């Protein structure tokens, strides 16, 4: 997933990220609190897409921890 995002702008990254994740049918996360961990974030699209999916499945809270931030130029 990450290699495909190299050279992509923010909107392309968001589109790619939204297509990158899926949950198995029937997965319910009601009341769960989830921590996503990422080594590097650039636009935040991957984390936002994953969080959106988890919240839609019922997660109460989704937080993220990132080791490094890279800025798009």
């Amino acid at each position: 997933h990450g290699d495909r995002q190299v050279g992509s702008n923010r909107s392309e990254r968001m589109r790619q990220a939204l297509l990158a994740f899926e949950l198995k049918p029937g997965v319910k996360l009601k009341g769960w609190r989830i921590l996503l961990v990422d080594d590097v974030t650039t636009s935040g699209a991957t984390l936002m897409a994953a969080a959106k999916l988890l919240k839609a499945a019922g997660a109460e809270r989704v937080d993220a921890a990132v080791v490094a931030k890279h800025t798009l130029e």
Side-chain angles (χ1 to χ4, degrees), residues 18 21-24 27-37 46-64:
L18 288 170
F21 302 106
E22 65 181 67
L23 292 175
K24 290 183 179 182
V27 169
K28 305 270 191 256
L29 301 175
K30 183 175 178 164
W32 283 40
R33 287 181 253 163
I34 298 170
L35 175 64
L36 299 174
V37 180
T46 301
L47 291 171
M48 287 188 293
K52 182 176 181 176
L53 181 66
L54 296 167
K55 293 286 282 183
E60 176 182 324
R61 182 177 175 136
V62 179
D63 293 304

